[in-house]
Amino acid sequence: MSSRNAPVRERVPREATVPLGARINKLSPPPDLARSLLLVAVRPTLLSLTATIAVVLVVMLTSGTDLTNAPGAIAASWLAAHQVSVTVGATTLGLLPLVPTALVLWFAGRECARAVPERPAPIELAWLAGATVAGPFVMTAVCAAVMGDAAGVTALEVPSLPRAFAWMVLLYLATAAVAIVARAGETVCALIPVELPEWVAPGARAARRTVLRVLGCALIAAVVSFCLHLSRVGGVYSHAHGIADVLGMTVLSLLYLPNVVVATASLLAGSPIQFGVGSVGLFDVTGAGLPALPALIPVPAGPAQAWWPVLLLVPVAIGVLAGVELGRSTDDRAGAPWATLTSAGLSTVMLTVLAVLASGQLGAVGWVGPDLLVLPALLMSWLGLGGFAGMVLARRFLTRTTPGAYDFYDDEYYEDDDDYAYSPSATSEYTPGATSNESDDTSTELDAELIDDINDAPEVSVAAPGSTSPPADDIVDVEVVEADLPEGGPVTGR
């Protein structure tokens, strides 16, 4: 055989012939993945540190503070942005704003999600999670060392290192898990050795909607309460000395706005909010000294009004809505109760975690936040009972609207159903209430006859193209002649 006619072998890269899992099963990642892991570990940490330095320097320069305290203040602020308690002298600040934490974790999760490969292997996902944790872990150690060196200049106390490291690992592992599941959820589910029931996915989606609805209703309640107590604004800002204090109090209140919304959500569920020795609930209000902060203007001063317990219907109504959606959107009647229970349970867990993050020690005031022992039981009760009530309501009185359930039609499904007849219109839809013998003006009837022999076919007269006259009765014989092509010659579409 000549070299001209020899088959051409396509050169395939060696890595493409090896299965993905076998190619990744080594201790060091590939160079392209190593660069992505470096960015995941370094970029979010450097960005959050740069933002912290800028904010601390602006605050110190505008307030006239000596810049010799800047290193310790920067280190303490970076830890505070990750919900690590900071102690200055005898004052412990554990109630920290959620806005910086949300921004830092959002950027870290975004960077992790962008680095997820198209078909990730388990070892790649482990490397991504480790890279997401590595940067903040190292920076925590650096900040702790800086605070230790600054202890002689400022009254900063170094936090407990085991607790700070454990919290940082937990926080960023959860961020990496959410980012990976959002980007490669199918791959992650395939790694689970046990097959998840079908009702887990709709229950999780309903839980996400439930949490957003609870927080939305809490935001509306906080805004309404703020509008009802506008007379306190002048008294709060009277403690400010100059425009810098006014701006500082306003910005600090905006940073604490998510904390206020989470506390309001807990209050709507029936859990009282503790303010040191005092508390605010739907049934009782015990007065306590509150800091002069605009974010605390919506806090009612008491006494408790008789109509306040009506607000308990808010979480119940949200649970009913979730149950109605699950009852109308699932075909699995046996799994719908489990999906409702899953939705209530996951919603309770997420709202409780937010309540833990939004609570803490506030200096001389004491503990500020909801009752973390009563809150989960109340949330599970209202969302669970409301969900089951909504599911029963949807099954008995509402029609099912499953997305995609009637996107296509099977002739065998409607074979014995006289209430549906096919109408061959332009839209090709089934017309309810019509029988197979009825037709409207837009439909066209077609008569067909099965012919066993082609010679028995009826003769058809065809009019000439472009002719306006009807076809003649004469039969026109048409013969198709194929052009003779060169033997073995190429046939092109030109």
Side-chain angles (χ1 to χ4, degrees):
M1 182 181 294
S2 63
S3 60
R4 181 178 180 181
N5 297 328
V8 179
R9 290 188 178 182
E10 183 181 1
R11 290 188 176 181
V12 181
R14 185 177 180 182
E15 292 185 355
T17 61
V18 182
L20 182 63
R23 191 171 72 246
I24 300 300
N25 284 335
K26 50 186 179 180
L27 296 179
S28 60
D32 53 346
L33 183 59
R35 288 190 294 269
S36 300
L37 294 177
L38 183 61
L39 292 177
V40 170
V42 174
R43 186 183 291 177
T45 304
L46 291 182
L47 181 65
S48 59
L49 182 62
T50 303
T52 303
I53 293 174
V55 171
V56 170
L57 291 180
V58 168
V59 171
M60 296 183 73
L61 290 175
T62 54
S63 61
T65 307
D66 189 4
L67 293 180
T68 56
N69 301 325
I74 292 172
S77 300
W78 194 87
L79 293 176
H82 292 81
Q83 299 296 314
V84 177
S85 300
V86 178
T87 302
V88 182
T91 303
T92 300
L93 184 60
L95 180 62
L96 300 167
L98 289 177
V99 171
T101 307
L103 292 177
V104 170
L105 295 183
W106 175 82
F107 190 78
R110 177 175 173 269
E111 197 70 27
C112 178
R114 291 175 59 184
V116 175
E118 185 177 354
R119 295 186 302 113
I123 188 64
E124 290 179 310
L125 299 181
W127 282 332
L128 276 175
T132 306
V133 176
F137 190 88
V138 174
M139 187 55 62
T140 301
V142 173
C143 290
V146 171
M147 291 178 66
D149 293 338
V153 181
T154 60
L156 286 175
E157 183 179 340
V158 180
S160 175
L161 290 182
R163 183 179 301 176
F165 285 140
W167 172 250
M168 204 66 63
V169 170
L170 178 62
L171 198 64
Y172 278 92
L173 274 182
T175 302
V178 172
I180 291 173
V181 170
R183 188 63 180 268
E186 296 181 358
T187 304
V188 175
C189 293
L191 297 177
I192 300 176
V194 181
E195 185 178 359
L196 296 177
E198 296 182 357
W199 41 262
V200 173
R205 290 191 293 266
R208 180 177 60 86
R209 294 192 298 266
T210 298
V211 171
L212 293 178
R213 288 164 182 164
V214 170
L215 295 179
C217 293
L219 177 61
I220 294 174
V223 172
V224 171
S225 181
F226 180 85
C227 296
L228 294 177
H229 299 89
L230 282 177
S231 58
R232 302 180 186 175
V233 175
V236 169
Y237 280 105
S238 63
H239 297 81
H241 303 283
I243 188 64
D245 290 348
V246 172
L247 291 177
M249 294 172 63
T250 304
V251 172
L252 191 61
S253 297
L254 293 177
L255 294 179
Y256 273 102
L257 181 60
N259 301 64
V260 175
V261 172
V262 174
T264 307
S266 304
L267 187 66
L268 293 178
S271 175
I273 307 301
Q274 302 290 330
F275 289 95
V277 296
S279 64
V280 175
L282 297 180
F283 301 94
D284 187 21
V285 176
T286 302
L290 299 179
L293 196 64
L296 299 178
I297 290 178
V299 178
Q305 303 296 322
W307 62 271
W308 286 2
V310 180
L311 296 176
L312 292 174
L313 295 177
V314 173
V316 176
I318 294 175
V320 170
L321 182 58
V324 168
E325 291 177 347
L326 289 173
R328 298 180 64 188
S329 62
T330 179
D331 294 328
D332 187 8
R333 296 181 63 87
W338 293 104
T340 305
L341 185 63
T342 301
S343 174
L346 291 178
S347 302
T348 300
V349 170
M350 287 188 283
L351 290 173
T352 303
V353 170
L354 290 177
V356 172
L357 294 176
S359 307
Q361 195 77 15
L362 186 60
V365 177
W367 174 265
V368 177
D371 192 341
L372 299 178
L373 297 178
V374 177
L375 179 62
L378 292 174
L379 286 173
M380 191 65 190
S381 299
W382 304 136
L383 297 178
L385 294 176
F388 277 103
M391 183 194 62
V392 173
L393 176 66
R395 283 185 173 183
R396 290 183 176 273
F397 302 104
L398 300 178
T399 58
R400 181 175 60 86
T401 57
T402 304
Y406 302 106
D407 291 343
F408 62 94
Y409 297 91
D410 190 359
D411 293 338
E412 296 179 0
Y413 182 79
Y414 295 104
E415 186 176 10
D416 297 328
D417 193 354
D418 294 333
D419 294 334
Y420 291 86
Y422 181 75
S423 176
S425 59
T427 56
S428 297
E429 296 180 351
Y430 282 87
T431 305
T435 61
S436 59
N437 295 328
E438 297 177 353
S439 60
D440 51 9
D441 295 337
T442 60
S443 62
T444 304
E445 296 183 359
L446 298 178
D447 296 331
E449 180 181 358
L450 182 61
I451 302 174
D452 295 332
D453 190 359
I454 191 63
N455 296 324
D456 298 335
E459 298 173 347
V460 180
S461 299
V462 181
S467 175
T468 58
S469 60
D473 296 333
D474 297 337
I475 300 175
V476 179
D477 295 332
V478 180
E479 181 181 1
V480 179
V481 180
E482 280 187 322
D484 295 334
L485 297 176
E487 186 175 357
V491 178
T492 62
R494 297 181 179 178

